[in-house]
PDB file of all heavy atoms in Angstrom:
ATOM      1  N   ASN V   1       0.811  -1.236   0.011  1.00  0.00           N
ATOM      2  CA  ASN V   1      -0.019  -0.010   0.012  1.00  0.00           C
ATOM      3  C   ASN V   1       0.834   1.289   0.003  1.00  0.00           C
ATOM      4  O   ASN V   1       0.498   2.217  -0.738  1.00  0.00           O
ATOM      5  CB  ASN V   1      -0.963  -0.013   1.181  1.00  0.00           C
ATOM      6  CG  ASN V   1      -2.152  -0.967   0.938  1.00  0.00           C
ATOM      7  OD1 ASN V   1      -2.414  -1.323  -0.204  1.00  0.00           O
ATOM      8  ND2 ASN V   1      -2.790  -1.406   1.999  1.00  0.00           N
ATOM      9  N   PRO V   2       1.918   1.373   0.803  1.00  0.00           N
ATOM     10  CA  PRO V   2       2.726   2.611   0.737  1.00  0.00           C
ATOM     11  C   PRO V   2       3.298   2.888  -0.648  1.00  0.00           C
ATOM     12  O   PRO V   2       3.530   4.035  -1.007  1.00  0.00           O
ATOM     13  CB  PRO V   2       3.811   2.346   1.768  1.00  0.00           C
ATOM     14  CG  PRO V   2       3.220   1.377   2.752  1.00  0.00           C
ATOM     15  CD  PRO V   2       2.405   0.493   1.842  1.00  0.00           C
ATOM     16  N   LYS V   3       3.513   1.824  -1.422  1.00  0.00           N
ATOM     17  CA  LYS V   3       4.022   2.015  -2.743  1.00  0.00           C
ATOM     18  C   LYS V   3       2.944   2.093  -3.841  1.00  0.00           C
ATOM     19  O   LYS V   3       3.222   2.213  -5.024  1.00  0.00           O
ATOM     20  CB  LYS V   3       4.982   0.841  -3.150  1.00  0.00           C
ATOM     21  CG  LYS V   3       6.286   0.805  -2.360  1.00  0.00           C
ATOM     22  CD  LYS V   3       7.219  -0.266  -2.780  1.00  0.00           C
ATOM     23  CE  LYS V   3       8.545  -0.232  -2.075  1.00  0.00           C
ATOM     24  NZ  LYS V   3       9.454  -1.286  -2.524  1.00  0.00           N
ATOM     25  N   ASN V   4       1.665   2.002  -3.363  1.00  0.00           N
ATOM     26  CA  ASN V   4       0.565   2.089  -4.306  1.00  0.00           C
ATOM     27  C   ASN V   4       0.646   0.994  -5.378  1.00  0.00           C
ATOM     28  O   ASN V   4       0.315   1.274  -6.574  1.00  0.00           O
ATOM     29  CB  ASN V   4       0.428   3.465  -4.917  1.00  0.00           C
ATOM     30  CG  ASN V   4      -0.682   4.291  -4.292  1.00  0.00           C
ATOM     31  OD1 ASN V   4      -1.216   3.949  -3.278  1.00  0.00           O
ATOM     32  ND2 ASN V   4      -1.006   5.385  -4.974  1.00  0.00           N
ATOM     33  N   THR V   5       1.085  -0.155  -5.015  1.00  0.00           N
ATOM     34  CA  THR V   5       1.380  -1.200  -5.984  1.00  0.00           C
ATOM     35  C   THR V   5       0.829  -2.566  -5.538  1.00  0.00           C
ATOM     36  O   THR V   5       0.919  -2.903  -4.370  1.00  0.00           O
ATOM     37  CB  THR V   5       2.931  -1.307  -6.299  1.00  0.00           C
ATOM     38  OG1 THR V   5       3.424  -0.066  -6.666  1.00  0.00           O
ATOM     39  CG2 THR V   5       3.161  -2.326  -7.355  1.00  0.00           C
ATOM     40  N   ALA V   6       0.303  -3.288  -6.501  1.00  0.00           N
ATOM     41  CA  ALA V   6      -0.085  -4.686  -6.269  1.00  0.00           C
ATOM     42  C   ALA V   6       0.703  -5.585  -7.221  1.00  0.00           C
ATOM     43  O   ALA V   6       1.142  -5.117  -8.262  1.00  0.00           O
ATOM     44  CB  ALA V   6      -1.580  -4.840  -6.527  1.00  0.00           C
ATOM     45  N   TYR V   7       0.766  -6.846  -6.826  1.00  0.00           N
ATOM     46  CA  TYR V   7       1.628  -7.768  -7.552  1.00  0.00           C
ATOM     47  C   TYR V   7       0.853  -9.077  -7.785  1.00  0.00           C
ATOM     48  O   TYR V   7      -0.004  -9.439  -7.038  1.00  0.00           O
ATOM     49  CB  TYR V   7       2.950  -8.052  -6.778  1.00  0.00           C
ATOM     50  CG  TYR V   7       3.729  -6.869  -6.459  1.00  0.00           C
ATOM     51  CD1 TYR V   7       3.594  -6.273  -5.190  1.00  0.00           C
ATOM     52  CD2 TYR V   7       4.637  -6.332  -7.346  1.00  0.00           C
ATOM     53  CE1 TYR V   7       4.344  -5.146  -4.821  1.00  0.00           C
ATOM     54  CE2 TYR V   7       5.379  -5.160  -7.036  1.00  0.00           C
ATOM     55  CZ  TYR V   7       5.253  -4.603  -5.744  1.00  0.00           C
ATOM     56  OH  TYR V   7       5.956  -3.511  -5.452  1.00  0.00           O
ATOM     57  N   LEU V   8       1.295  -9.744  -8.826  1.00  0.00           N
ATOM     58  CA  LEU V   8       0.829 -11.137  -9.046  1.00  0.00           C
ATOM     59  C   LEU V   8       2.042 -11.958  -9.379  1.00  0.00           C
ATOM     60  O   LEU V   8       2.641 -11.797 -10.478  1.00  0.00           O
ATOM     61  CB  LEU V   8      -0.182 -11.210 -10.157  1.00  0.00           C
ATOM     62  CG  LEU V   8      -0.736 -12.609 -10.412  1.00  0.00           C
ATOM     63  CD1 LEU V   8      -1.639 -13.016  -9.187  1.00  0.00           C
ATOM     64  CD2 LEU V   8      -1.565 -12.685 -11.664  1.00  0.00           C
ATOM     65  N   GLN V   9       2.493 -12.756  -8.476  1.00  0.00           N
ATOM     66  CA  GLN V   9       3.610 -13.679  -8.682  1.00  0.00           C
ATOM     67  C   GLN V   9       3.065 -14.972  -9.259  1.00  0.00           C
ATOM     68  O   GLN V   9       2.199 -15.607  -8.688  1.00  0.00           O
ATOM     69  CB  GLN V   9       4.325 -13.954  -7.397  1.00  0.00           C
ATOM     70  CG  GLN V   9       5.575 -14.831  -7.542  1.00  0.00           C
ATOM     71  CD  GLN V   9       6.326 -14.989  -6.288  1.00  0.00           C
ATOM     72  OE1 GLN V   9       5.961 -14.468  -5.246  1.00  0.00           O
ATOM     73  NE2 GLN V   9       7.448 -15.718  -6.321  1.00  0.00           N
ATOM     74  N   MET V  10       3.597 -15.365 -10.423  1.00  0.00           N
ATOM     75  CA  MET V  10       3.137 -16.489 -11.122  1.00  0.00           C
ATOM     76  C   MET V  10       4.273 -17.475 -11.310  1.00  0.00           C
ATOM     77  O   MET V  10       5.378 -17.162 -11.811  1.00  0.00           O
ATOM     78  CB  MET V  10       2.595 -16.117 -12.477  1.00  0.00           C
ATOM     79  CG  MET V  10       1.512 -15.041 -12.436  1.00  0.00           C
ATOM     80  SD  MET V  10       0.749 -14.676 -14.019  1.00  0.00           S
ATOM     81  CE  MET V  10       2.125 -13.987 -14.905  1.00  0.00           C
ATOM     82  N   THR V  11       4.077 -18.724 -10.856  1.00  0.00           N
ATOM     83  CA  THR V  11       5.092 -19.732 -11.015  1.00  0.00           C
ATOM     84  C   THR V  11       4.507 -20.953 -11.692  1.00  0.00           C
ATOM     85  O   THR V  11       3.291 -21.076 -11.842  1.00  0.00           O
ATOM     86  CB  THR V  11       5.582 -20.158  -9.584  1.00  0.00           C
ATOM     87  OG1 THR V  11       4.550 -20.764  -8.856  1.00  0.00           O
ATOM     88  CG2 THR V  11       6.181 -19.030  -8.850  1.00  0.00           C
ATOM     89  N   ASN V  12       5.378 -21.875 -12.128  1.00  0.00           N
ATOM     90  CA  ASN V  12       4.970 -23.038 -12.838  1.00  0.00           C
ATOM     91  C   ASN V  12       3.919 -22.727 -13.906  1.00  0.00           C
ATOM     92  O   ASN V  12       2.868 -23.386 -14.012  1.00  0.00           O
ATOM     93  CB  ASN V  12       4.425 -24.076 -11.840  1.00  0.00           C
ATOM     94  CG  ASN V  12       4.205 -25.443 -12.451  1.00  0.00           C
ATOM     95  OD1 ASN V  12       4.802 -25.816 -13.456  1.00  0.00           O
ATOM     96  ND2 ASN V  12       3.312 -26.229 -11.861  1.00  0.00           N
ATOM     97  N   LEU V  13       4.244 -21.788 -14.752  1.00  0.00           N
ATOM     98  CA  LEU V  13       3.296 -21.328 -15.768  1.00  0.00           C
ATOM     99  C   LEU V  13       3.014 -22.429 -16.789  1.00  0.00           C
ATOM    100  O   LEU V  13       3.876 -23.231 -17.175  1.00  0.00           O
ATOM    101  CB  LEU V  13       3.778 -20.067 -16.447  1.00  0.00           C
ATOM    102  CG  LEU V  13       3.645 -18.828 -15.612  1.00  0.00           C
ATOM    103  CD1 LEU V  13       4.579 -17.701 -16.091  1.00  0.00           C
ATOM    104  CD2 LEU V  13       2.230 -18.365 -15.648  1.00  0.00           C
ATOM    105  N   LYS V  14       1.814 -22.469 -17.268  1.00  0.00           N
ATOM    106  CA  LYS V  14       1.295 -23.443 -18.193  1.00  0.00           C
ATOM    107  C   LYS V  14       0.823 -22.752 -19.479  1.00  0.00           C
ATOM    108  O   LYS V  14       0.429 -21.581 -19.410  1.00  0.00           O
ATOM    109  CB  LYS V  14       0.193 -24.249 -17.557  1.00  0.00           C
ATOM    110  CG  LYS V  14       0.586 -24.927 -16.262  1.00  0.00           C
ATOM    111  CD  LYS V  14      -0.624 -25.642 -15.692  1.00  0.00           C
ATOM    112  CE  LYS V  14      -0.264 -26.320 -14.356  1.00  0.00           C
ATOM    113  NZ  LYS V  14      -1.387 -27.017 -13.726  1.00  0.00           N
ATOM    114  N   PRO V  15       0.801 -23.490 -20.583  1.00  0.00           N
ATOM    115  CA  PRO V  15       0.253 -22.827 -21.830  1.00  0.00           C
ATOM    116  C   PRO V  15      -1.108 -22.231 -21.687  1.00  0.00           C
ATOM    117  O   PRO V  15      -1.468 -21.239 -22.237  1.00  0.00           O
ATOM    118  CB  PRO V  15       0.331 -23.965 -22.817  1.00  0.00           C
ATOM    119  CG  PRO V  15       1.439 -24.813 -22.369  1.00  0.00           C
ATOM    120  CD  PRO V  15       1.366 -24.765 -20.850  1.00  0.00           C
ATOM    121  N   GLU V  16      -1.928 -22.897 -20.856  1.00  0.00           N
ATOM    122  CA  GLU V  16      -3.296 -22.397 -20.688  1.00  0.00           C
ATOM    123  C   GLU V  16      -3.368 -21.126 -19.827  1.00  0.00           C
ATOM    124  O   GLU V  16      -4.420 -20.558 -19.688  1.00  0.00           O
ATOM    125  CB  GLU V  16      -4.196 -23.487 -20.009  1.00  0.00           C
ATOM    126  CG  GLU V  16      -3.589 -24.110 -18.725  1.00  0.00           C
ATOM    127  CD  GLU V  16      -2.866 -25.400 -19.011  1.00  0.00           C
ATOM    128  OE1 GLU V  16      -2.134 -25.460 -20.032  1.00  0.00           O
ATOM    129  OE2 GLU V  16      -3.031 -26.356 -18.210  1.00  0.00           O
ATOM    130  N   ASP V  17      -2.230 -20.643 -19.292  1.00  0.00           N
ATOM    131  CA  ASP V  17      -2.191 -19.388 -18.621  1.00  0.00           C
ATOM    132  C   ASP V  17      -2.019 -18.234 -19.601  1.00  0.00           C
ATOM    133  O   ASP V  17      -2.062 -17.031 -19.166  1.00  0.00           O
ATOM    134  CB  ASP V  17      -1.016 -19.373 -17.591  1.00  0.00           C
ATOM    135  CG  ASP V  17      -1.254 -20.322 -16.467  1.00  0.00           C
ATOM    136  OD1 ASP V  17      -2.376 -20.448 -16.001  1.00  0.00           O
ATOM    137  OD2 ASP V  17      -0.230 -20.974 -16.045  1.00  0.00           O
ATOM    138  N   THR V  18      -1.822 -18.538 -20.871  1.00  0.00           N
ATOM    139  CA  THR V  18      -1.648 -17.478 -21.885  1.00  0.00           C
ATOM    140  C   THR V  18      -2.897 -16.634 -21.934  1.00  0.00           C
ATOM    141  O   THR V  18      -3.985 -17.119 -22.122  1.00  0.00           O
ATOM    142  CB  THR V  18      -1.334 -18.108 -23.206  1.00  0.00           C
ATOM    143  OG1 THR V  18      -0.085 -18.775 -23.181  1.00  0.00           O
ATOM    144  CG2 THR V  18      -1.295 -17.020 -24.317  1.00  0.00           C
ATOM    145  N   ALA V  19      -2.719 -15.314 -21.764  1.00  0.00           N
ATOM    146  CA  ALA V  19      -3.846 -14.389 -21.754  1.00  0.00           C
ATOM    147  C   ALA V  19      -3.347 -12.970 -21.559  1.00  0.00           C
ATOM    148  O   ALA V  19      -2.161 -12.767 -21.272  1.00  0.00           O
ATOM    149  CB  ALA V  19      -4.819 -14.708 -20.614  1.00  0.00           C
ATOM    150  N   VAL V  20      -4.236 -12.040 -21.726  1.00  0.00           N
ATOM    151  CA  VAL V  20      -3.985 -10.685 -21.309  1.00  0.00           C
ATOM    152  C   VAL V  20      -4.415 -10.540 -19.838  1.00  0.00           C
ATOM    153  O   VAL V  20      -5.578 -10.849 -19.491  1.00  0.00           O
ATOM    154  CB  VAL V  20      -4.770  -9.642 -22.170  1.00  0.00           C
ATOM    155  CG1 VAL V  20      -4.543  -8.243 -21.642  1.00  0.00           C
ATOM    156  CG2 VAL V  20      -4.302  -9.737 -23.636  1.00  0.00           C
ATOM    157  N   TYR V  21      -3.509 -10.084 -19.028  1.00  0.00           N
ATOM    158  CA  TYR V  21      -3.761  -9.950 -17.567  1.00  0.00           C
ATOM    159  C   TYR V  21      -3.982  -8.515 -17.229  1.00  0.00           C
ATOM    160  O   TYR V  21      -3.167  -7.660 -17.609  1.00  0.00           O
ATOM    161  CB  TYR V  21      -2.561 -10.535 -16.797  1.00  0.00           C
ATOM    162  CG  TYR V  21      -2.535 -12.011 -16.778  1.00  0.00           C
ATOM    163  CD1 TYR V  21      -2.169 -12.719 -17.961  1.00  0.00           C
ATOM    164  CD2 TYR V  21      -2.800 -12.747 -15.626  1.00  0.00           C
ATOM    165  CE1 TYR V  21      -2.130 -14.113 -17.952  1.00  0.00           C
ATOM    166  CE2 TYR V  21      -2.729 -14.126 -15.653  1.00  0.00           C
ATOM    167  CZ  TYR V  21      -2.429 -14.837 -16.804  1.00  0.00           C
ATOM    168  OH  TYR V  21      -2.411 -16.175 -16.809  1.00  0.00           O
ATOM    169  N   SER V  22      -5.115  -8.248 -16.513  1.00  0.00           N
ATOM    170  CA  SER V  22      -5.441  -6.880 -16.150  1.00  0.00           C
ATOM    171  C   SER V  22      -5.624  -6.831 -14.641  1.00  0.00           C
ATOM    172  O   SER V  22      -6.097  -7.772 -14.018  1.00  0.00           O
ATOM    173  CB  SER V  22      -6.700  -6.472 -16.815  1.00  0.00           C
ATOM    174  OG  SER V  22      -6.583  -6.500 -18.221  1.00  0.00           O
ATOM    175  N   CYS V  23      -5.219  -5.661 -14.063  1.00  0.00           N
ATOM    176  CA  CYS V  23      -5.556  -5.478 -12.678  1.00  0.00           C
ATOM    177  C   CYS V  23      -6.718  -4.519 -12.567  1.00  0.00           C
ATOM    178  O   CYS V  23      -6.959  -3.719 -13.525  1.00  0.00           O
ATOM    179  CB  CYS V  23      -4.328  -4.972 -11.870  1.00  0.00           C
ATOM    180  SG  CYS V  23      -3.804  -3.344 -12.358  1.00  0.00           S
ATOM    181  N   ALA V  24      -7.418  -4.614 -11.531  1.00  0.00           N
ATOM    182  CA  ALA V  24      -8.637  -3.782 -11.335  1.00  0.00           C
ATOM    183  C   ALA V  24      -8.810  -3.423  -9.881  1.00  0.00           C
ATOM    184  O   ALA V  24      -8.283  -4.133  -8.988  1.00  0.00           O
ATOM    185  CB  ALA V  24      -9.892  -4.484 -11.858  1.00  0.00           C
ATOM    186  N   ALA V  25      -9.467  -2.305  -9.629  1.00  0.00           N
ATOM    187  CA  ALA V  25      -9.663  -1.864  -8.261  1.00  0.00           C
ATOM    188  C   ALA V  25     -11.123  -1.671  -7.961  1.00  0.00           C
ATOM    189  O   ALA V  25     -11.899  -1.269  -8.802  1.00  0.00           O
ATOM    190  CB  ALA V  25      -8.900  -0.509  -8.057  1.00  0.00           C
ATOM    191  N   GLN V  26     -11.459  -1.984  -6.706  1.00  0.00           N
ATOM    192  CA  GLN V  26     -12.825  -1.884  -6.242  1.00  0.00           C
ATOM    193  C   GLN V  26     -12.800  -1.013  -4.986  1.00  0.00           C
ATOM    194  O   GLN V  26     -12.140  -1.353  -4.010  1.00  0.00           O
ATOM    195  CB  GLN V  26     -13.372  -3.279  -5.911  1.00  0.00           C
ATOM    196  CG  GLN V  26     -14.735  -3.308  -5.258  1.00  0.00           C
ATOM    197  CD  GLN V  26     -15.096  -4.692  -4.759  1.00  0.00           C
ATOM    198  OE1 GLN V  26     -16.003  -4.844  -3.951  1.00  0.00           O
ATOM    199  NE2 GLN V  26     -14.426  -5.732  -5.232  1.00  0.00           N
ATOM    200  N   ARG V  27     -13.581   0.058  -5.005  1.00  0.00           N
ATOM    201  CA  ARG V  27     -13.650   0.938  -3.830  1.00  0.00           C
ATOM    202  C   ARG V  27     -14.407   0.228  -2.686  1.00  0.00           C
ATOM    203  O   ARG V  27     -15.514  -0.268  -2.901  1.00  0.00           O
ATOM    204  CB  ARG V  27     -14.356   2.262  -4.147  1.00  0.00           C
ATOM    205  CG  ARG V  27     -14.434   3.256  -2.985  1.00  0.00           C
ATOM    206  CD  ARG V  27     -13.093   3.820  -2.712  1.00  0.00           C
ATOM    207  NE  ARG V  27     -13.234   4.907  -1.697  1.00  0.00           N
ATOM    208  CZ  ARG V  27     -13.033   4.714  -0.397  1.00  0.00           C
ATOM    209  NH1 ARG V  27     -12.734   3.509   0.053  1.00  0.00           N
ATOM    210  NH2 ARG V  27     -13.177   5.764   0.423  1.00  0.00           N
ATOM    211  N   VAL V  28     -13.749   0.130  -1.541  1.00  0.00           N
ATOM    212  CA  VAL V  28     -14.382  -0.608  -0.444  1.00  0.00           C
ATOM    213  C   VAL V  28     -14.217   0.286   0.798  1.00  0.00           C
ATOM    214  O   VAL V  28     -13.147   0.801   1.073  1.00  0.00           O
ATOM    215  CB  VAL V  28     -13.605  -1.965  -0.194  1.00  0.00           C
ATOM    216  CG1 VAL V  28     -14.226  -2.686   1.002  1.00  0.00           C
ATOM    217  CG2 VAL V  28     -13.768  -2.850  -1.435  1.00  0.00           C
ATOM    218  N   LEU V  29     -15.272   0.368   1.581  1.00  0.00           N
ATOM    219  CA  LEU V  29     -15.260   1.287   2.755  1.00  0.00           C
ATOM    220  C   LEU V  29     -14.599   0.644   3.978  1.00  0.00           C
ATOM    221  O   LEU V  29     -13.865   1.328   4.699  1.00  0.00           O
ATOM    222  CB  LEU V  29     -16.683   1.684   3.093  1.00  0.00           C
ATOM    223  CG  LEU V  29     -17.446   2.560   2.041  1.00  0.00           C
ATOM    224  CD1 LEU V  29     -18.826   2.921   2.524  1.00  0.00           C
ATOM    225  CD2 LEU V  29     -16.648   3.834   1.755  1.00  0.00           C
ATOM    226  N   VAL V  30     -14.791  -0.646   4.136  1.00  0.00           N
ATOM    227  CA  VAL V  30     -14.253  -1.322   5.355  1.00  0.00           C
ATOM    228  C   VAL V  30     -12.886  -1.917   5.050  1.00  0.00           C
ATOM    229  O   VAL V  30     -12.748  -2.697   4.122  1.00  0.00           O
ATOM    230  CB  VAL V  30     -15.249  -2.405   5.820  1.00  0.00           C
ATOM    231  CG1 VAL V  30     -14.702  -3.108   7.065  1.00  0.00           C
ATOM    232  CG2 VAL V  30     -16.600  -1.797   6.099  1.00  0.00           C
ATOM    233  N   PHE V  31     -11.909  -1.548   5.879  1.00  0.00           N
ATOM    234  CA  PHE V  31     -10.544  -1.930   5.575  1.00  0.00           C
ATOM    235  C   PHE V  31     -10.322  -3.498   5.593  1.00  0.00           C
ATOM    236  O   PHE V  31      -9.558  -3.981   4.767  1.00  0.00           O
ATOM    237  CB  PHE V  31      -9.641  -1.297   6.636  1.00  0.00           C
ATOM    238  CG  PHE V  31      -8.172  -1.454   6.351  1.00  0.00           C
ATOM    239  CD1 PHE V  31      -7.590  -0.872   5.204  1.00  0.00           C
ATOM    240  CD2 PHE V  31      -7.354  -2.113   7.215  1.00  0.00           C
ATOM    241  CE1 PHE V  31      -6.247  -0.990   4.944  1.00  0.00           C
ATOM    242  CE2 PHE V  31      -5.957  -2.227   6.964  1.00  0.00           C
ATOM    243  CZ  PHE V  31      -5.432  -1.665   5.831  1.00  0.00           C
ATOM    244  N   ASP V  32     -10.998  -4.171   6.503  1.00  0.00           N
ATOM    245  CA  ASP V  32     -10.736  -5.592   6.627  1.00  0.00           C
ATOM    246  C   ASP V  32     -11.854  -6.486   6.067  1.00  0.00           C
ATOM    247  O   ASP V  32     -11.877  -7.701   6.279  1.00  0.00           O
ATOM    248  CB  ASP V  32     -10.577  -5.974   8.122  1.00  0.00           C
ATOM    249  CG  ASP V  32      -9.232  -5.529   8.654  1.00  0.00           C
ATOM    250  OD1 ASP V  32      -8.268  -5.455   7.854  1.00  0.00           O
ATOM    251  OD2 ASP V  32      -9.158  -5.241   9.853  1.00  0.00           O
ATOM    252  N   SER V  33     -12.806  -5.896   5.313  1.00  0.00           N
ATOM    253  CA  SER V  33     -13.837  -6.726   4.735  1.00  0.00           C
ATOM    254  C   SER V  33     -13.274  -7.670   3.681  1.00  0.00           C
ATOM    255  O   SER V  33     -12.274  -7.347   3.016  1.00  0.00           O
ATOM    256  CB  SER V  33     -14.943  -5.819   4.117  1.00  0.00           C
ATOM    257  OG  SER V  33     -14.378  -5.083   3.047  1.00  0.00           O
ATOM    258  N   GLU V  34     -13.944  -8.805   3.560  1.00  0.00           N
ATOM    259  CA  GLU V  34     -13.499  -9.781   2.603  1.00  0.00           C
ATOM    260  C   GLU V  34     -13.770  -9.342   1.167  1.00  0.00           C
ATOM    261  O   GLU V  34     -14.701  -8.628   0.938  1.00  0.00           O
ATOM    262  CB  GLU V  34     -14.153 -11.134   2.909  1.00  0.00           C
ATOM    263  CG  GLU V  34     -13.764 -11.742   4.213  1.00  0.00           C
ATOM    264  CD  GLU V  34     -14.254 -13.139   4.431  1.00  0.00           C
ATOM    265  OE1 GLU V  34     -15.131 -13.597   3.657  1.00  0.00           O
ATOM    266  OE2 GLU V  34     -13.833 -13.816   5.392  1.00  0.00           O
ATOM    267  N   VAL V  35     -12.912  -9.794   0.273  1.00  0.00           N
ATOM    268  CA  VAL V  35     -13.053  -9.416  -1.125  1.00  0.00           C
ATOM    269  C   VAL V  35     -13.870 -10.481  -1.895  1.00  0.00           C
ATOM    270  O   VAL V  35     -13.762 -11.665  -1.571  1.00  0.00           O
ATOM    271  CB  VAL V  35     -11.658  -9.207  -1.772  1.00  0.00           C
ATOM    272  CG1 VAL V  35     -10.874 -10.489  -1.780  1.00  0.00           C
ATOM    273  CG2 VAL V  35     -11.774  -8.602  -3.190  1.00  0.00           C
ATOM    274  N   VAL V  36     -14.635 -10.001  -2.827  1.00  0.00           N
ATOM    275  CA  VAL V  36     -15.359 -10.889  -3.706  1.00  0.00           C
ATOM    276  C   VAL V  36     -14.782 -10.710  -5.085  1.00  0.00           C
ATOM    277  O   VAL V  36     -14.765  -9.577  -5.628  1.00  0.00           O
ATOM    278  CB  VAL V  36     -16.884 -10.588  -3.733  1.00  0.00           C
ATOM    279  CG1 VAL V  36     -17.614 -11.448  -4.760  1.00  0.00           C
ATOM    280  CG2 VAL V  36     -17.497 -10.786  -2.352  1.00  0.00           C
ATOM    281  N   CYS V  37     -14.277 -11.765  -5.691  1.00  0.00           N
ATOM    282  CA  CYS V  37     -13.510 -11.642  -6.918  1.00  0.00           C
ATOM    283  C   CYS V  37     -14.463 -11.700  -8.157  1.00  0.00           C
ATOM    284  O   CYS V  37     -14.307 -12.559  -9.000  1.00  0.00           O
ATOM    285  CB  CYS V  37     -12.461 -12.713  -6.974  1.00  0.00           C
ATOM    286  SG  CYS V  37     -10.995 -12.290  -7.970  1.00  0.00           S
ATOM    287  N   ASP V  38     -15.372 -10.795  -8.227  1.00  0.00           N
ATOM    288  CA  ASP V  38     -16.352 -10.680  -9.294  1.00  0.00           C
ATOM    289  C   ASP V  38     -16.011  -9.433 -10.101  1.00  0.00           C
ATOM    290  O   ASP V  38     -16.056  -8.331  -9.570  1.00  0.00           O
ATOM    291  CB  ASP V  38     -17.741 -10.569  -8.689  1.00  0.00           C
ATOM    292  CG  ASP V  38     -18.807 -10.417  -9.730  1.00  0.00           C
ATOM    293  OD1 ASP V  38     -18.500 -10.201 -10.947  1.00  0.00           O
ATOM    294  OD2 ASP V  38     -20.028 -10.526  -9.388  1.00  0.00           O
ATOM    295  N   PRO V  39     -15.661  -9.600 -11.382  1.00  0.00           N
ATOM    296  CA  PRO V  39     -15.255  -8.466 -12.147  1.00  0.00           C
ATOM    297  C   PRO V  39     -16.276  -7.305 -12.251  1.00  0.00           C
ATOM    298  O   PRO V  39     -15.900  -6.120 -12.383  1.00  0.00           O
ATOM    299  CB  PRO V  39     -14.985  -9.011 -13.584  1.00  0.00           C
ATOM    300  CG  PRO V  39     -15.610 -10.323 -13.602  1.00  0.00           C
ATOM    301  CD  PRO V  39     -15.657 -10.848 -12.207  1.00  0.00           C
TER     302      PRO V  39
END
């Protein structure tokens, strides 16, 4: 958070991982609320 950066570390990559990868942000009011991974 201090660097305003998120990461995705990917290991053991497979051909089926081929894609365009995008990051996205969801405004959330509660700091510790659980995330729902719905685009």
